[in-house]
Amino acid sequence: VELSCIIKSTVTLDPRIEWKKIRDGETSYVFFDNKMQGDFATRAEILSRTSLVIKNTTRMDTATYRCEVAAPSDTKTIDEINIQLTVQ
């Protein structure tokens, strides 16, 4: 499955991008400090700097995924989007 976090415009040369998984009120890192975290390290990757691709998805991947972008040189320095993923 591919989850996309589209950055429309930025003047910051290298914005910081993080992906988090929120399930049952608990938040965990998926992509942090430019690397995959936890079990995502072996089955997920980042495409084009902003899209999260999760391979071999299972029902345990059902959650809200949050993409957070920090662009310190921009007028809006931080923004986020939540994507609800349901694996049946």
Side-chain angles (χ1 to χ4, degrees), residues 17-19 29-37 46:
I17 299 169
E18 295 176 358
W19 281 91
Y29 281 108
V30 175
F31 182 74
F32 177 73
D33 201 19
N34 288 318
K35 59 183 177 259
M36 290 297 166
Q37 304 294 314
I46 296 292

Side-chain angles (χ1 to χ4, degrees), residues 2 4 14 17 19 21 29 32 37 41-42 44 51-53 67 75 80 82-83 87:
E2 182 176 345
S4 293
D14 193 18
I17 299 169
W19 281 91
K21 176 182 176 182
Y29 281 108
F32 177 73
Q37 304 294 314
T42 58
S51 290
L52 172 66
V53 176
C67 174
T75 339
E80 63 186 40
N82 289 324
I83 301 169
V87 182

Side-chain angles (χ1 to χ4, degrees), residues 4-8 50-51 67 69 81:
S4 293
C5 180
I6 306 297
I7 300 173
K8 290 187 178 179
T50 57
S51 290
C67 174
V69 179
I81 185 172

Side-chain angles (χ1 to χ4, degrees), residues 1 57-63 85-88:
V1 67
T57 54
T58 68
R59 282 188 239 164
M60 291 303 294
D61 294 314
T62 294
L85 174 66
T86 303
V87 182
Q88 302 209 355

